[in-house]
Amino acid sequence: EADTFVMINSVDEVLARPHKIQKGTSLSFSCYDVPAYTPWNCVAETWMLRNVYEGLVYCYMGRAEDVRPLIAESYTHSEDYLTWVFQIREGVYFTDGTVCDAAAICASWDHFYSVAPASFINLNITAWEATAPMELTVKLSAPCGYIESAFESLYILSPEAMTLYGPNDNRAAISTGPYFISGYTP
C-alpha cells in the first residue's frame, strides 16, 4: 500500500479529526539536519514542530489576536489575569496511546520546565496543577500581555515518553499532533 498524505483544509477538520494516530497516513519529510526533535531544544523546522506538537490553544491563521482552544476545549481567566483555568478536551491521546489529561499536561510541563525554565518564567507562570482530571489551573505572578497566545507554544509531550527517555532524547518527541516521528536519517 502506498503512503498517503491527507490534506487538512480547515480548522474545523483539525478539531474534528480523531485524536488518535490513524493507520495508513504517513509523510516522508526532507529538511535540513534537525539536531533535536524535542521542542525546547533546537528545532530547525517549523513545519515539523507544528505537525508533531500541539499546545492548549492555537492562534487561528497565525494571528495572536484570535486565540482558540486546541487541546483545551475551553478556558477562562480571573479578573486580574493571574489565574487561567483550562478544560481539557476529552478523547485526546498522545501518539503513543497515552491519554492527554490535566495530569499528563502537568507532568509534561514539569519536564519542559526542567530544561527550559525561561519559557515559563518569561511568561510570569509560577505554578500549574491538575485541579480535576480534565482541568488544568495555571497561576501567574503578574499579568503577561501575550500569555494567551503564548499558551500555543508551551508544547505538551507524552509524560510516559519523557519519563522513559528523558527530555533531551529525540525518542521522547511524542505529542498529540497529526504526525509522529517514526524514524530519522541524518
Side-chain angles (χ1 to χ4, degrees):
E1 180 176 309
D3 289 344
T4 58
F5 176 74
V6 177
M7 175 78 68
I8 295 175
N9 295 307
S10 72
V11 172
D12 290 335
E13 288 180 33
V14 170
L15 295 175
R17 72 176 164 78
H19 286 277
K20 289 185 178 180
I21 198 68
Q22 301 298 298
K23 292 182 179 182
T25 302
S26 65
L27 175 71
S28 295
F29 181 61
S30 298
C31 61
Y32 296 109
D33 188 36
V34 179
Y37 294 136
T38 48
W40 38 81
N41 288 323
C42 182
V43 175
E45 295 294 333
T46 302
W47 187 92
M48 185 176 68
L49 182 72
R50 296 288 186 198
N51 282 281
V52 172
Y53 304 107
E54 292 181 323
L56 292 169
V57 300
Y58 71 101
C59 296
Y60 179 72
M61 302 296 286
R63 295 190 319 246
E65 69 275 8
D66 191 356
V67 178
R68 300 179 184 190
L70 186 58
I71 289 177
E73 184 172 59
S74 63
Y75 61 97
T76 58
H77 57 77
S78 61
E79 197 171 307
D80 61 5
Y81 293 90
L82 299 180
T83 302
W84 293 74
V85 179
F86 294 87
Q87 300 304 317
I88 307 306
R89 189 177 305 278
E90 294 277 347
V92 176
Y93 294 83
F94 296 98
T95 56
D96 65 359
T98 304
V99 173
C100 182
D101 57 12
I105 294 168
C106 287
S108 174
W109 282 6
D110 289 345
H111 286 287
F112 192 162
Y113 185 83
S114 74
V115 294
S119 297
F120 295 86
I121 294 167
N122 292 341
L123 300 171
N124 300 329
I125 296 175
T126 58
W128 49 89
E129 76 172 297
T131 46
M134 301 307 282
E135 181 178 274
L136 174 73
T137 300
V138 180
K139 300 283 189 173
L140 279 65
S141 61
C144 175
Y146 51 91
I147 188 71
E148 190 174 19
S149 62
F151 282 121
E152 177 180 34
S153 60
L154 290 176
Y155 299 110
I156 301 160
L157 277 71
S158 167
E160 287 190 20
M162 297 293 293
T163 299
L164 185 61
Y165 301 116
N168 292 313
D169 188 316
N170 286 337
R171 293 174 293 175
I174 297 172
S175 189
T176 60
Y179 292 96
F180 67 95
I181 301 165
S182 65
Y184 169 65
T185 305

